[in-house]
Amino acid sequence: PAPKTLPELQQLIGEDRQRGWVLHRSDYSTAIATGIRNHLGEVVAAINLSGPEAVMDSEDSQARFREALLLTAARISAELGG
Protein backbone atom coordinates (compact mmCIF):
# COMPACT_ATOMS: atom_id res chain seq x y z
CA PRO A 1 0.00 0.00 0.00
CA ALA A 2 1.08 3.56 -0.69
CA PRO A 3 2.26 5.61 2.30
CA LYS A 4 -0.34 8.01 3.66
CA THR A 5 1.79 10.18 5.91
CA LEU A 6 5.18 11.86 5.63
CA PRO A 7 6.76 9.56 8.25
CA GLU A 8 5.47 6.51 6.34
CA LEU A 9 6.93 7.90 3.10
CA GLN A 10 10.26 8.62 4.78
CA GLN A 11 10.37 5.09 6.18
CA LEU A 12 9.61 3.60 2.76
CA ILE A 13 12.31 5.71 1.11
CA GLY A 14 14.81 4.62 3.75
CA GLU A 15 13.97 0.96 3.22
CA ASP A 16 14.22 1.32 -0.56
CA ARG A 17 17.55 3.12 -0.26
CA GLN A 18 18.97 0.44 2.03
CA ARG A 19 17.76 -2.37 -0.27
CA GLY A 20 19.17 -0.61 -3.33
CA TRP A 21 16.19 -1.20 -5.61
CA VAL A 22 12.46 -0.55 -5.79
CA LEU A 23 9.57 -2.73 -6.93
CA HIS A 24 6.40 -0.95 -8.02
CA ARG A 25 3.19 -2.72 -8.97
CA SER A 26 0.24 -1.08 -10.64
CA ASP A 27 -2.99 -2.52 -11.93
CA TYR A 28 -1.52 -4.24 -14.97
CA SER A 29 2.26 -3.85 -14.79
CA THR A 30 5.29 -4.19 -12.56
CA ALA A 31 8.47 -2.11 -12.58
CA ILE A 32 11.82 -2.65 -10.88
CA ALA A 33 14.25 0.28 -10.60
CA THR A 34 17.72 0.97 -9.24
CA GLY A 35 20.30 3.73 -9.31
CA ILE A 36 23.33 4.32 -11.50
CA ARG A 37 26.33 5.61 -9.55
CA ASN A 38 29.26 7.78 -10.58
CA HIS A 39 32.90 7.58 -9.50
CA LEU A 40 31.99 9.16 -6.15
CA GLY A 41 29.30 6.57 -5.46
CA GLU A 42 26.56 9.15 -5.93
CA VAL A 43 23.34 8.20 -7.69
CA VAL A 44 23.36 10.20 -10.93
CA ALA A 45 20.71 8.35 -12.92
CA ALA A 46 18.21 5.53 -12.65
CA ILE A 47 17.37 2.51 -14.72
CA ASN A 48 14.19 0.49 -14.66
CA LEU A 49 12.66 -2.56 -16.22
CA SER A 50 8.92 -2.77 -16.56
CA GLY A 51 6.53 -5.24 -18.06
CA PRO A 52 3.03 -6.61 -17.96
CA GLU A 53 1.87 -8.22 -14.76
CA ALA A 54 1.33 -11.51 -16.63
CA VAL A 55 5.08 -11.70 -17.33
CA MET A 56 6.45 -10.25 -14.09
CA ASP A 57 3.97 -11.57 -11.53
CA SER A 58 5.86 -14.51 -10.08
CA GLU A 59 8.59 -14.10 -7.48
CA ASP A 60 10.92 -16.15 -9.70
CA SER A 61 10.39 -13.78 -12.64
CA GLN A 62 10.86 -10.73 -10.44
CA ALA A 63 14.07 -12.17 -8.99
CA ARG A 64 15.44 -13.02 -12.44
CA PHE A 65 14.61 -9.56 -13.84
CA ARG A 66 15.93 -7.84 -10.71
CA GLU A 67 19.26 -9.68 -10.96
CA ALA A 68 19.59 -8.70 -14.64
CA LEU A 69 18.72 -5.09 -13.83
CA LEU A 70 21.18 -4.87 -10.94
CA LEU A 71 23.95 -6.40 -13.06
CA THR A 72 23.26 -3.93 -15.86
CA ALA A 73 23.25 -1.01 -13.42
CA ALA A 74 26.56 -2.18 -11.95
CA ARG A 75 28.10 -2.38 -15.43
CA ILE A 76 26.93 1.12 -16.33
CA SER A 77 28.15 2.42 -12.98
CA ALA A 78 31.54 0.80 -13.60
CA GLU A 79 31.76 2.66 -16.92
CA LEU A 80 31.24 5.87 -14.93
CA GLY A 81 33.97 4.88 -12.49
CA GLY A 82 31.53 3.71 -9.83
Side-chain angles (χ1 to χ4, degrees), residues 7-79:
E8 288 176 353
L9 176 60
Q10 290 170 326
Q11 179 179 347
L12 180 62
I13 291 170
E15 292 167 0
D16 291 343
R17 213 178 254 149
Q18 186 175 20
R19 186 174 48 249
W21 56 270
V22 176
L23 175 75
H24 174 77
R25 299 178 96 168
S26 64
D27 291 340
Y28 303 104
S29 65
T30 297
I32 305 168
T34 192
I36 304 292
R37 297 183 179 274
N38 66 9
H39 65 286
L40 299 174
E42 302 166 329
V43 174
V44 294
I47 185 171
N48 84 3
L49 185 149
S50 59
E53 192 66 25
V55 174
M56 298 184 65
D57 187 42
S58 75
E59 288 186 25
D60 289 342
S61 294
Q62 289 174 14
R64 189 172 63 251
F65 290 128
R66 183 177 60 247
E67 288 176 27
L69 183 72
L70 293 173
L71 178 61
T72 300
R75 288 178 176 167
I76 295 170
S77 294
E79 290 289 325

